[in-house]
Amino acid sequence: MTDSGFFDEVFQVVRVIPYGRVSTYGAIARYLGSPQSARMVGWALNKSFDGRGFIPAHRVVNRLGLLTGKHHFGYSDTMRQLLESEGIIVENDQIQEFDQKFWDPVKEMPEAEG
DNA sequence: GTTATGACTGCGA
DNA sequence: TTCGCAGCCATAA
């Protein structure tokens, strides 16, 4: 599975994000051991639409809780609808109560692949 | 094969 | 306080 290594790891982390929670590129990248590859995480998510199965990329936002990648979902409302569909409040492309919705894989990530 | 870009983040002045 | 630059790795041309 670890074809691309980094990419696959990103998908694995994003996939375990619990319902109603969100995470950030930096948090995921940091979990992988490369906090500076944060933008690479987003790039990986971009491919999440391709054929890697469903990836809750809508649960991943930038450090400010902004839906920076919303326009990658097709329409500027798709990402927001997905988040609101999970009970997450989004206003002005920004996640409300982001601090409590934030899900840090480094701290909350279950011991996947045990 | 090489060059450029990307859904970001942290540090310095 | 705000603004600008460097870094990570893979994909695309």
Side-chain angles (χ1 to χ4, degrees):
Chain A
M1 313 301 189
T2 52
D3 292 338
S4 301
F6 201 98
F7 270 45
D8 239 2
E9 292 188 67
V10 173
F11 295 132
Q12 289 183 19
V13 176
V14 176
R15 274 219 256 227
V16 298
I17 296 175
Y19 180 96
R21 293 287 153 105
V22 293
S23 187
T24 71
Y25 307 101
I28 295 169
R30 188 175 311 227
Y31 173 80
L32 301 179
S34 295
Q36 292 152 213
S37 303
R39 57 181 181 178
M40 233 250 118
V41 175
W43 187 251
L45 294 175
N46 184 354
K47 287 189 32 183
S48 66
F49 299 90
D50 196 28
R52 294 275 186 179
F54 175 72
I55 306 287
H58 59 272
R59 292 183 190 155
V60 185
V61 296
N62 72 348
R63 184 156 148 72
L64 303 176
L66 297 172
L67 280 56
T68 49
K70 64 173 185 172
H71 67 103
H72 281 276
F73 284 74
Y75 291 97
S76 301
D77 287 342
T78 307
M79 187 172 185
R80 171 170 170 169
Q81 289 183 9
L82 288 169
L83 290 168
E84 291 189 332
S85 174
E86 299 190 359
I88 297 173
I89 305 170
V90 179
E91 194 164 306
N92 208 0
D93 298 342
Q94 183 171 351
I95 294 178
Q96 304 301 300
E97 303 181 3
F98 179 65
D99 288 343
Q100 59 186 284
K101 301 289 189 184
F102 178 54
W103 183 85
D104 188 350
V106 180
K107 301 185 310 186
E108 315 213 36
M109 180 61 164
E111 298 179 23
E113 184 175 3

